[in-house]
């Protein structure tokens, strides 16, 4: 049977161990909260991501337009080939990732607001369902923005749909209430 010797090296290493542990407990830690605590993304296995779902590619929130899996070589891993469109800019992104690996998926939130006013500098004054107001979203400088301005100028009550993901929020669509 093997015998463990309890020579002087054992007591010396235990002494170092306890000295290190006591030193660690004496250190003060300063944790700072930057955001609300809600994560902007969550991990999801690449093999479980589906068409129509969301994924982060190159740090941008995207909607999956197409996904296919391919099996490689004798000892290779299956790969997911993902084609996705940025939900805010419309830019196309592609990524290849092993199906067993995790990818970031953005927490996407859709909210409807009633349009109250459009300021001279292009910001929309919005009313939420709970009665709170929101004044930090700009009416888009696109065809959508022109349609919103024209409908609002005609005196229509408008419901604007916004999409928020990864600390970004944009007006995505609208509909007339009357």
């Amino acid at each position: 049977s093997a015998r463990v010797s309890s020579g002087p090296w054992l007591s010396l290493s235990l002494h170092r161990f306890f000295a290190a542990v006591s030193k660690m407990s004496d250190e003060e830690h300063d944790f700072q909260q930057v955001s609300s605590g809600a994560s902007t993304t969550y991990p999801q296995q690449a093999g479980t991501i589906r068409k129509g779902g969301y994924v982060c590619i190159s740090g941008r929130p995207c909607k999956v337009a197409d996904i296919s899996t391919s099996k490689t070589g004798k000892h290779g891993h299956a790969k997911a080939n993902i084609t996705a469109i940025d939900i805010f800019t419309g830019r196309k992104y592609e990524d290849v990732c092993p199906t067993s690996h995790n990818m970031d998926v953005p927490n996407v939130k859709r909210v409807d607001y009633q349009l109250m006013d459009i300021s001279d500098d292009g910001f929309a004054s919005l009313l939420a369902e709970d009665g709170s107001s929101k004044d930090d979203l700009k009416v888009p400088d696109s065809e959508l923005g022109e349609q919103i301005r024209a409908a609002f100028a005609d005196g229509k009550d408008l419901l604007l749909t916004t999409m928020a993901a990864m600390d970004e929020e944009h007006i995505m669509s609208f509909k007339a209430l009357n």
Side-chain angles (χ1 to χ4, degrees):
S1 79
R3 191 169 158 249
V4 177
S5 92
S6 59
W9 62 270
L10 180 63
S11 63
L12 183 61
S13 61
L14 282 175
H15 175 73
R16 284 185 184 147
F17 171 76
F18 287 116
V21 168
S22 67
K23 184 178 179 187
M24 282 189 273
S25 64
D26 292 342
E27 294 173 8
E28 286 189 31
H29 299 282
D30 183 25
F31 297 105
Q32 293 182 351
Q33 191 82 17
V34 176
S35 65
S36 63
S39 178
T40 58
T41 63
Y42 61 92
Q44 184 175 344
Q45 203 168 350
T48 63
I49 293 171
R50 298 285 170 248
K51 185 175 179 177
Y54 296 102
V55 68
C56 290
I57 299 179
S58 300
R60 297 293 303 158
C62 300
K63 187 168 190 166
V64 178
D66 188 43
I67 185 164
S68 61
T69 55
S70 60
K71 185 81 172 159
T72 58
K74 187 175 179 184
H75 298 291
H77 295 281
K79 301 251 191 298
N81 300 313
I82 301 169
T83 303
I85 310 294
D86 189 308
I87 60 176
F88 297 129
T89 66
R91 184 171 170 212
K92 184 177 176 180
Y93 288 92
E94 292 185 355
D95 197 6
V96 177
C97 179
T99 56
S100 59
H101 288 196
N102 281 346
M103 292 187 77
D104 283 335
V105 175
N107 284 315
V108 178
K109 188 176 173 190
R110 222 181 183 109
V111 184
D112 289 332
Y113 295 99
Q114 186 170 353
L115 179 62
M116 303 306 291
D117 193 18
I118 299 174
S119 67
D120 295 335
D121 54 356
F123 283 89
S125 179
L126 305 170
L127 182 66
E129 284 185 12
D130 65 1
S132 62
S133 65
K134 183 171 186 66
D135 300 304
D136 60 350
L137 285 181
K138 201 170 182 114
V139 176
D141 293 326
S142 62
E143 188 179 326
L144 173 66
E146 291 171 20
Q147 292 171 350
I148 291 171
R149 285 184 181 87
F152 186 71
D154 288 347
K156 294 183 179 171
D157 288 331
L158 302 179
L159 192 67
L160 303 186
T161 301
T162 66
M163 194 177 280
M166 299 179 71
D167 299 325
E168 237 180 282
E169 188 171 17
H170 294 270
I171 297 170
M172 303 304 286
S173 64
F174 77 99
K175 64 180 175 184
L177 295 173
N178 53 357

